[in-house]
Amino acid sequence: MIAKRPRALPLALLLCLAACTPPVVKNASPSIGKTVGKLDEPTQEQLPIIASEPIAADAQRAVDNYRELLKLVPDADTKFEATRRLADLQVQIEDTRGNTAESEKALRESIKLYNELLHSRPTDKNNDRIFYQLARAQQNIGEVDAAIDTLKRLTERHADSELAGDGHFRRAELLFSRARYPEAADEFRVVMDLGDKTPFFEQAQYKYGWTLYKQGKYEPAIATFFAILDRELPAGEQYQTDKALAGVAKAKTDMARDALRVVNLSLMNLGGGAALSDYLSRNGDPRFYPLVYASLGEAFSEKQRHTDAAGAYAAFIERYPRSPLAPAFQTRVIAAYGDGGFRDQVVQEKERYARTYDPAAAYWQGQPATAEVMAQLRTHLEDLAKHYHARAQITRKAAAGQPPEASNAEFLAAAAWYQRIIELYPKDGRLPEINFLYADALLDGGRTLDAANEYSRTAYGYPSHPRAAEAAYAAVLAFQKHAKAVPEAQRPEALRVAVSESLRMADKYPGHPQRFPVLTQAAQDLFELKSYDEAITVAERVLKNPVPVAANLRRIAWSVTGDSHFAQQRYPQAELAFAEELKLTAASSPQRPEVIEQLAAAIYKQGEQAREAKDLRNAARHFLRLGQVTPEAKIRAAAEYDGAAALIGLEDWGNAARVLENFRALFPGHALEADVDKKLAVAYQKDNKPLQAALAYSRIAARATESPETRREAAWLAATLYDQGQAVPQAASAYEYYVKTFPRPLARALDARSRLVEYARAGNDTAKLSYWLRDLVSADDTAGAERSDRSKSLAAQASLDLGRMAVTDARALRLSAPVEKSLPRKRQAMDGALQWLNRAAAYGYAEITTAATYEVGSLYQDFGRSLMDSERPRGLSELELEEYNLLLEEQAFPFEEKAIQTHETNLKRIAQGLYDPWIAKSAQALAQIAPARFGKREQGEDRYETLK
């Protein structure tokens, strides 16, 4: 508006001034510029000059003209108007020059001029324009507070001025720049109340929201910015930030974006997503409420506050669980946690998505799920399945050696997610791969049978795919594992399924690298099922393959073939199969001993069959060839034994003995050794080989495991057979062993002692003879109830023999000088002999008694003679010698008399009806001792008569 002047200037002067004054836009004001927050705070715009009328385009020339005019001292009105215009032109000029010392000087001059004008006419109704320009000049030289005060004077004194609204807005802007937010808010509020009457409404509303935010009045600030957004955003419900802002008028885009940003900042300060939900519950939802949640989450993410971002998205879902946008917000929750690296929370939220938006979930209320959700759900389901699968594998690896239960639940959790993919996406191109992983998880989770069925489904239930053959083999392994785990009663059925699956795989995938191992295992399983012919047939598929199969598999196939034939008593075929198996079994293989035993068993069974058929010759052949084919077989000992038994049955004693001796050499200490010795002893006896038989019996007798009766009989047979074979040392040892080991029954032991006496006597072994004679006497003494005439007779004879031996020893002792030293020893020997002889006589056997009596008499006779024949002391004189001899005769005489008496005792037995060689010898001895008394026959007979 052009200001009215109080009175007109001269026309020429006004025209001149008009020609020098530049035009100024009525009520012009600077743009808002950048704002606080994302944008910079508003720039301090300078206030425009309000022109009264057009002036010349050359402002500096106009200034100069006005200065010249003032020098002319015009009238008051002209001076006032010229001064005002001079000040306005200087402000305008300095706006374009920037901050310089000259500029500040000019502005200060303008300020001085404005103040003089106001002072000169304080109540002029046109002062509103002077206040406005004064504030502008003050602002331009940095006196902001002064400008604020000046604008206040403007709005207070000229409330109805057209510049009042602009003044309030400018003052609010300056207050805002000085952080005097409450005062700024009031000013902005005044501008907003003007409504359509001011062009600054939108800017004031926007800055008003900022002042509230700056004061921490977040909820009022939110309400203000919501009003801006409601006005500027395109119609309808908004959700995506970029799309929503793209629909805003280009000139308003920055304001809308910044309004949304301040809303986010306010909500962050209030507590994020939960605060937003709380605010809306109290104040109602704006039409663009999804956008607010989405934008808030994005703002948190920009600040890398990922948990808060997820919370903002989750707050939307919590407040609007049935919203069509809920799945999309759940996706944002997952992404926020993913951006923050919170893997556990990602898994948790993916699970929430999968359970909440599953097509069968309550969310859909029976309606089909959207394609977008189904696509997202597919991704989450696989992610969840693989997550639990991987975690389960890690858990199991960490718990190596421990029971698998700890990780089973995780494997089964993975399986459940795989299963849901299969259920929901039957046409998914990756379904075979998913089905395979599903089976893997079931298997590791302990559900072996379910896993087997799923592997089978993967192999045969889909069009051809890369993992089909692998799945077929996995199915076989799983069915086999299941068969091992089921209770024994269920194993046959489970094993039959495993076999069927194995054959199915072998037929369907003939090129599979595991085909022959699978066939081999199937043959083994059929054998276990006792389907022997089927097992043989399947094994033949391995053995008769045109291209040779691996040696270890052929070995197993031959093993199954052999076992199957063996089970059906087809032993020759079994032998053939086991022989082939043995060829394929390395010498160092731990299986080789078992194969040898199987081969040996097949041969042995052929021997048994021949024996049962009474074909002992063939039985012996099979039993004995076992040792030739499998010499190291454990059963060889039994085979050798049975072969020998068959030969014995054929009375082939020589070959039987050879086999039995070979058994003893090959198997020392074997459990059958005792029976072998018995059979060997019999064979040798039957073959008329007593010494060999005796040796066998000796071993039997010495074996502690035999019964006492068996050992005793064997010991006796050994001794008698040695005796029979005239092997004296062995016989003597055998008899001695018998006596010491089996002293009872006494009769046979006495016979053994008698033979030992005979062997000692024949061998002139005095010591052994004495020992066994004494043993005979002792045996009779200790016989107890077993004492018999035979034992007494043998003891009597032994006593006699011992006495005679003692007599011989006594006679051998010569009496040497000095006699008093050698005589006691000879007397002791004589006494010993007398004891045995008297003991012999005491048994009461006539022929023993007479012999003993004779020996006693001869012993006395010898003792007397020894005295007479004793060595004389040296150095005796003839007289001394004669006296010594007389003394010896006196000593010898009593013994001679005892000899005579003893022999006479024998002669007296004639009257008892006894007469034997010993009585005759006593008679001869008497004739020698006392020929005068007994030398003549007639006298002797008379003498004998006197003895009656």
Side-chain angles (χ1 to χ4, degrees):
M1 179 181 295
I2 300 175
K4 293 181 179 180
R5 291 167 293 191
R7 55 192 182 124
L9 291 174
L11 179 59
L13 179 58
L14 289 177
L15 290 174
C16 178
L17 290 177
C20 302
T21 304
V24 179
V25 179
K26 181 180 179 182
N27 294 333
S29 61
S31 63
I32 294 174
K34 295 182 179 180
T35 56
V36 179
K38 183 176 181 182
L39 304 176
D40 295 332
E41 291 189 2
T43 58
Q44 305 303 313
E45 298 291 347
Q46 295 184 354
L47 300 177
I49 297 175
I50 303 302
S52 298
E53 54 199 30
I55 58 174
D58 188 347
Q60 186 58 50
R61 183 179 176 186
V63 168
D64 293 339
N65 288 338
Y66 281 124
R67 289 187 184 279
E68 290 300 325
L69 174 61
L70 291 173
K71 288 180 181 179
L72 298 176
V73 189
D75 61 78
D77 289 340
T78 300
K79 180 181 181 182
F80 185 91
E81 185 63 18
T83 301
R84 183 185 68 78
R85 289 194 176 201
L86 173 62
D88 287 347
L89 285 170
Q90 289 188 140
V91 170
Q92 178 180 339
I93 292 170
E94 300 312 321
D95 274 347
T96 63
R97 290 184 178 177
N99 296 325
T100 64
E102 290 183 5
S103 175
E104 182 177 353
K105 180 179 178 182
L107 289 173
R108 288 192 178 279
E109 182 183 359
S110 292
I111 291 170
K112 178 175 179 292
L113 293 174
Y114 287 138
N115 283 324
E116 288 176 351
L117 292 173
L118 290 172
H119 181 71
S120 66
R121 296 182 182 182
T123 60
D124 193 303
K125 60 180 180 179
N126 293 317
N127 282 350
D128 55 341
R129 286 162 177 76
I130 296 175
F131 281 125
Y132 191 92
Q133 291 295 87
L134 174 60
R136 179 180 179 185
Q138 290 170 331
Q139 180 182 351
N140 286 346
I141 65 171
E143 293 180 355
V144 176
D145 291 335
I148 291 172
D149 290 340
T150 299
L151 289 171
K152 184 178 180 182
R153 289 161 65 192
L154 165 64
T155 57
E156 287 179 348
R157 295 182 185 183
H158 304 276
D160 296 331
S161 170
E162 292 180 355
L163 294 176
D166 195 346
H168 282 294
F169 181 77
R170 302 305 174 188
R171 185 168 188 271
E173 289 272 71
L174 294 175
L175 287 168
F176 189 95
S177 71
R178 306 297 281 177
R180 292 163 63 177
Y181 301 120
E183 297 172 79
D186 291 340
E187 291 292 342
F188 283 128
R189 182 76 256 179
V190 170
V191 177
M192 290 168 61
D193 289 341
L194 294 175
D196 295 338
K197 296 178 181 179
T198 176
F200 301 115
F201 174 83
E202 292 180 4
Q203 294 94 326
Q205 183 183 37
Y206 168 77
K207 296 303 292 288
Y208 176 68
W210 266 108
T211 60
L212 295 175
Y213 172 78
K214 290 290 188 176
Q215 296 178 75
K217 297 179 179 181
Y218 301 120
E219 290 197 6
I222 292 171
T224 301
F225 287 114
F226 272 5
I228 294 172
L229 291 169
D230 186 59
R231 181 182 65 246
E232 303 300 341
L233 292 175
E237 184 179 275
Q238 298 299 319
Y239 159 54
Q240 296 175 319
T241 305
D242 291 342
K243 185 176 180 181
L245 292 175
V248 177
K250 188 173 182 180
K252 304 289 186 68
T253 301
D254 288 343
M255 178 185 292
R257 179 180 288 109
D258 211 49
L260 196 56
R261 187 170 70 87
V262 184
V263 168
N264 292 334
L265 293 172
S266 299
L267 290 170
M268 288 179 180
N269 286 307
L270 289 172
L276 172 56
S277 294
D278 181 61
Y279 176 87
L280 296 181
S281 66
R282 289 183 285 103
N283 297 282
D285 297 343
R287 62 181 174 81
F288 49 86
Y289 67 91
L291 175 64
V292 182
Y293 281 98
S295 177
L296 177 60
E298 292 165 1
F300 274 126
S301 293
E302 288 177 3
K303 294 180 177 296
Q304 297 187 350
R305 293 172 59 178
H306 303 293
T307 301
D308 291 330
Y313 300 136
F316 177 89
I317 301 169
E318 182 179 358
R319 180 165 171 78
Y320 311 101
R322 295 287 184 187
S323 171
L325 294 174
F329 271 91
Q330 183 62 24
T331 298
R332 285 173 171 254
V333 171
I334 295 167
Y337 281 127
D339 292 342
F342 301 107
R343 297 187 60 185
D344 291 344
Q345 285 80 357
V346 169
V347 172
Q348 180 180 336
E349 295 304 327
K350 281 179 178 283
E351 284 195 58
R352 192 190 309 280
Y353 190 105
R355 299 188 192 285
T356 306
Y357 307 117
D358 185 281
Y363 173 81
W364 299 106
Q365 297 181 329
Q367 298 299 313
T370 64
E372 181 183 2
V373 169
M374 288 301 291
Q376 194 69 51
L377 180 61
R378 172 64 179 81
T379 300
H380 294 329
L381 288 174
E382 184 167 351
D383 289 347
L384 288 169
K386 291 183 176 179
H387 165 77
Y388 279 106
H389 207 157
R391 193 168 79 177
Q393 290 169 337
I394 294 171
T395 301
R396 181 157 295 177
K397 184 177 181 180
Q402 300 298 318
E405 287 75 11
S407 55
N408 277 359
E410 291 178 341
F411 278 116
L412 294 180
W417 295 120
Y418 287 129
Q419 182 182 20
R420 195 57 179 147
I421 296 173
I422 296 169
E423 293 169 350
L424 293 178
Y425 304 92
K427 297 182 180 180
D428 191 294
R430 294 185 59 248
L431 213 54
E433 173 69 19
I434 296 299
N435 212 148
F436 195 102
L437 294 172
Y438 175 41
D440 278 348
L442 287 172
L443 182 67
D444 289 331
R447 288 170 54 184
T448 307
L449 181 58
D450 291 337
N453 287 323
E454 290 303 324
Y455 281 130
S456 184
R457 176 183 177 184
T458 305
Y460 309 108
Y462 298 99
S464 178
H465 60 90
R467 301 198 72 179
E470 182 184 358
Y473 179 57
V476 171
L477 296 180
F479 278 118
Q480 289 173 347
K481 182 177 181 181
H482 171 68
K484 292 178 182 178
V486 297
E488 193 62 30
Q490 300 173 21
R491 179 167 170 76
E493 179 181 357
L495 208 56
R496 176 58 71 177
V497 173
V499 169
S500 298
E501 196 73 13
S502 298
L503 299 179
R504 185 182 187 186
M505 174 205 151
D507 294 337
K508 177 71 173 178
Y509 303 104
H512 197 290
Q514 295 299 323
R515 178 173 184 257
F516 292 109
V518 166
L519 284 173
T520 304
Q521 184 61 52
Q524 291 176 287
D525 293 340
L526 286 167
F527 172 77
E528 182 180 339
L529 290 169
K530 299 183 179 179
S531 298
Y532 301 123
D533 288 332
E534 285 186 83
I536 293 171
T537 300
V538 174
E540 285 178 347
R541 295 179 67 176
V542 177
L543 296 172
K544 294 182 179 180
N545 190 63
V547 179
V549 180
N552 67 311
L553 298 179
R554 286 186 287 123
R555 180 186 66 77
I556 296 172
W558 278 120
S559 177
V560 171
T561 302
D563 287 339
S564 297
H565 282 305
F566 191 95
Q568 297 179 89
Q569 300 183 7
R570 298 197 290 257
Y571 301 120
Q573 296 91 325
E575 179 185 353
L576 174 62
F578 290 139
E580 292 298 324
E581 181 187 3
L582 188 60
K583 292 177 186 178
L584 295 168
T585 307
S588 60
S589 171
Q591 286 83 28
R592 187 174 179 85
E594 181 182 355
V595 180
I596 290 172
E597 295 303 323
Q598 290 174 313
L599 176 58
I603 298 171
Y604 185 85
K605 284 294 183 180
Q606 293 177 65
E608 286 187 329
Q609 284 182 331
R611 184 172 61 193
E612 291 172 2
K614 308 300 182 185
D615 186 357
L616 294 181
R617 182 61 62 188
N618 264 328
R621 180 177 65 83
H622 285 305
F623 287 136
L624 296 179
R625 79 181 176 88
L626 184 150
Q628 299 169 357
V629 178
T630 56
E632 63 270 49
K634 294 179 181 177
I635 202 174
R636 182 183 179 187
E640 295 284 332
Y641 179 85
D642 290 342
L647 291 171
I648 289 173
L650 292 168
E651 297 186 357
D652 188 348
W653 308 115
N655 282 325
R658 177 183 56 78
V659 172
L660 291 170
E661 285 290 4
N662 189 50
F663 182 100
R664 293 190 67 257
L666 290 173
F667 310 109
H670 194 277
L672 289 172
E673 189 175 47
D675 287 338
V676 167
D677 275 333
K678 293 171 186 175
K679 283 182 170 55
L680 190 58
V682 172
Y684 278 133
Q685 273 188 284
K686 294 289 186 179
D687 204 26
N688 196 27
K689 294 181 178 178
L691 294 181
Q692 290 89 331
L695 182 59
Y697 280 126
S698 296
R699 292 193 296 269
I700 296 170
R703 190 170 287 115
T705 56
E706 300 286 358
S707 67
E709 294 78 8
T710 299
R711 293 181 63 204
R712 183 170 60 246
E713 290 302 317
W716 182 252
L717 286 171
T720 56
L721 286 169
Y722 277 130
D723 221 346
Q724 179 184 336
Q726 299 181 358
V728 174
Q730 292 90 333
S733 296
Y735 279 127
E736 182 175 351
Y737 175 79
Y738 184 87
V739 169
K740 292 181 177 180
T741 308
F742 308 105
R744 297 291 187 275
L746 183 61
R748 187 179 280 176
L750 290 174
D751 290 341
R753 290 183 176 93
S754 296
R755 291 297 293 155
L756 287 167
V757 167
E758 292 171 9
Y759 287 140
R761 183 174 283 119
N764 200 28
D765 189 338
T766 304
K768 285 191 175 181
L769 179 60
S770 174
Y771 175 84
W772 289 115
L773 288 171
R774 291 171 183 272
D775 198 49
L776 273 172
V777 173
S778 175
D780 178 68
D781 288 343
T782 59
E786 288 189 88
R787 195 178 191 200
S788 63
D789 286 340
R790 175 168 170 67
S791 68
K792 290 191 289 183
S793 172
L794 289 173
Q797 181 63 50
S799 298
L800 177 61
D801 290 344
L802 287 168
R804 285 172 174 167
M805 292 174 68
V807 167
T808 300
D809 292 340
R811 284 176 177 171
L813 292 175
R814 182 172 175 271
L815 295 175
S816 57
V819 176
E820 61 272 14
K821 289 187 177 181
S822 56
L823 182 61
R825 190 171 59 170
K826 188 170 180 68
R827 180 62 184 266
Q828 183 179 5
M830 183 185 71
D831 291 341
L834 287 174
Q835 289 179 359
W836 283 115
L837 293 170
N838 289 331
R839 184 184 182 112
Y843 284 97
Y845 293 100
E847 68 274 14
I848 301 297
T849 302
T850 56
T853 301
Y854 168 76
E855 294 293 347
V856 171
S858 66
L859 182 60
Y860 282 134
Q861 183 180 0
D862 175 73
F863 193 84
R865 186 182 303 114
S866 293
L867 285 174
M868 294 304 299
D869 294 339
S870 64
E871 185 181 5
R872 277 33 175 192
R874 295 178 182 182
L876 295 178
S877 63
E878 185 176 349
L879 178 61
E880 289 172 337
L881 181 59
E882 183 177 356
E883 289 179 353
Y884 186 81
N885 287 333
L886 289 175
L887 179 62
L888 287 175
E889 288 179 3
E890 291 178 0
Q891 294 293 325
F893 180 74
F895 292 99
E896 187 174 314
E897 284 297 316
K898 285 187 178 182
I900 293 171
Q901 293 173 1
T902 302
H903 287 305
E904 286 181 337
T905 300
N906 238 357
L907 292 179
K908 290 179 180 180
R909 294 188 173 95
I910 296 175
Q912 300 172 4
L914 294 176
Y915 188 79
D916 59 21
W918 302 111
I919 293 176
K921 283 189 175 186
S922 288
Q924 293 172 3
L926 287 172
Q928 292 176 359
I929 297 172
R933 294 172 58 185
F934 304 100
K936 296 180 179 179
R937 178 175 180 77
E938 295 78 14
Q939 290 176 345
E941 291 176 353
D942 292 343
R943 176 66 173 168
Y944 297 155
E945 287 298 322
T946 63
L947 294 174
K948 295 182 180 178

